[in-house]
Amino acid sequence: QVHLVESGGGSVEAGGSLSVSCEASGMTVSSYCVGWFRQIPGKDREAVATIYSYDGYNPYYGDSVMGRFTISMDSAKKTAYLQMNNLKPEDSGVYYCAATTANNVLYCGVAHRSGTFPYVGQGTHVTVYS
């Protein structure tokens, strides 16, 4: 059974940086996607970033985080990392790690846009204060 173990997050002043990580414990296949979506109070769920397990190339990002957030993957550890730079107060919310098995990197794009992830972590709070 896949269990997503999240860590990181916290509070930071606007313009600062935070990072979160997600281990896909129990993932038995080598081809899968890992990503984050966030839930901000009063807003719809938003896709943040998604990456393919195999090579980590061509990750997918949400428009509002492009150029500020970077997702990476350590396939040997089955762990994805999200580095968040130049954080803004509007980035505050709960960040959920999510994962799905996949045949190829293109499926990660589909999952990213549709939010179709069967496995979801417990969520990590990110607070950015001005």
Side-chain angles (χ1 to χ4, degrees), residues 24 27 29-32 51-56 72-81:
M27 183 67 77
V29 299
S30 59
S31 180
Y32 57 93
I51 195 166
Y52 184 46
S53 62
Y54 255 130
D55 50 23
S72 60
M73 183 78 198
D74 185 333
S75 298
K77 296 181 179 179
K78 297 183 180 179
T79 300
Y81 305 91

Side-chain angles (χ1 to χ4, degrees), residues 70-89:
T70 302
I71 189 171
S72 60
M73 183 78 198
D74 185 333
S75 298
K77 296 181 179 179
K78 297 183 180 179
T79 300
Y81 305 91
L82 183 68
Q83 177 66 38
M84 303 178 285
N85 297 330
N86 190 21
L87 282 160
K88 305 175 182 179

Side-chain angles (χ1 to χ4, degrees), residues 77-117:
K77 296 181 179 179
K78 297 183 180 179
T79 300
Y81 305 91
L82 183 68
Q83 177 66 38
M84 303 178 285
N85 297 330
N86 190 21
L87 282 160
K88 305 175 182 179
E90 51 265 41
D91 292 318
S92 298
V94 181
Y95 285 65
Y96 294 91
C97 177
T100 180
T101 59
N103 290 326
N104 52 58
V105 64
L106 294 179
Y107 187 80
C108 295
V110 173
H112 177 80
R113 290 184 291 271
S114 66
T116 309
F117 293 99

Side-chain angles (χ1 to χ4, degrees), residues 51-66:
I51 195 166
Y52 184 46
S53 62
Y54 255 130
D55 50 23
Y57 295 151
N58 298 320
Y60 299 89
Y61 292 99
D63 290 341
S64 64
V65 306
M66 186 81 70

